[in-house]
Amino acid sequence: MDREAKFMNRAIELSRKGMSENQGGPFGCVIVKGDKIIGEGFNQVTATNDPTAHAEIVAIRNACANLSHFQLDGCELYTSCEPCPMCMGAIYWARPEKVYYANTRADAEAIGFDDSMIYQEFELPADQRKIILTCIGRDAAQLVFKEWQAKGNRTLY
């Protein structure tokens, strides 16, 4: 078995594990650095009542804790399904070098996991979305941003 297939098979095993243990949906993820798995996760949304506990988020948190770093430089992410918008955002923030996925968005939609509404919402102006975004308190919040800019020991990410 080649390297990529080995890691993808582990992600798929994790998707089955989480599903069979009624932790959440059938999604699994591993994060690899070199030839070593440094983070794993499976969907735990229903078990934890946490809508952000997707396999990729759980694996990113696990890998970053293991690396003692907030970015996944030099890493690859293997996930059993094409990442949703939330997970893609987290993946971009974590900055792995590459993402491999097995099932597609369309495959997920076919079994009841449809995130197309989120993609459609992103296209709308903020005041026309299902969840209305309203900007308030900006002047006070801007003061904190100015403090951040002046802070000498900040860590950029």
Side-chain angles (χ1 to χ4, degrees):
M1 177 183 322
D2 71 359
R3 179 182 180 281
E4 287 83 10
K6 176 178 90 170
F7 295 129
M8 183 56 74
N9 283 342
R10 179 61 183 154
I12 293 167
E13 285 174 15
L14 289 166
S15 73
R16 182 174 284 114
K17 174 181 170 55
M19 177 192 65
S20 64
E21 293 177 2
N22 293 318
Q23 299 285 312
F27 306 99
C29 181
V30 298
I31 298 172
V32 175
K33 187 161 190 163
D35 284 323
K36 182 180 177 199
I37 293 175
I38 59 158
E40 294 187 334
F42 52 80
N43 185 290
Q44 298 175 36
V45 169
T46 57
T48 62
N49 294 316
D50 179 355
T52 69
H54 289 200
E56 297 90 341
I57 303 290
V58 173
I60 288 169
R61 289 173 179 160
N62 181 239
C64 287
N66 289 334
L67 290 173
S68 297
H69 198 267
F70 53 85
Q71 291 183 334
L72 299 174
D73 300 325
C75 295
E76 298 170 337
L77 187 144
Y78 294 78
T79 181
S80 65
C81 188
E82 184 176 356
C84 75
M86 175 184 68
C87 292
M88 279 308 303
I91 289 165
Y92 274 98
W93 281 113
R95 296 179 175 90
E97 287 184 3
K98 200 168 207 177
V99 174
Y100 297 91
Y101 65 92
N103 289 313
T104 67
R105 281 181 6 194
D107 297 331
E109 182 179 351
I111 64 164
F113 293 92
D114 182 10
D115 53 16
S116 63
M117 179 275 291
I118 298 170
Y119 290 103
Q120 292 165 2
E121 287 282 299
F122 288 160
E123 299 295 320
L124 296 173
D127 64 346
Q128 294 178 20
R129 295 178 184 171
K130 289 182 180 171
I131 299 174
I132 304 299
L133 299 173
T134 304
C135 181
I136 63 171
R138 186 165 180 255
D139 290 341
Q142 283 287 300
L143 294 174
V144 179
F145 272 17
K146 288 179 178 153
E147 290 173 28
W148 170 258
Q149 283 182 306
K151 185 175 164 74
N153 62 343
R154 67 182 189 243
T155 301
L156 296 177
Y157 55 95

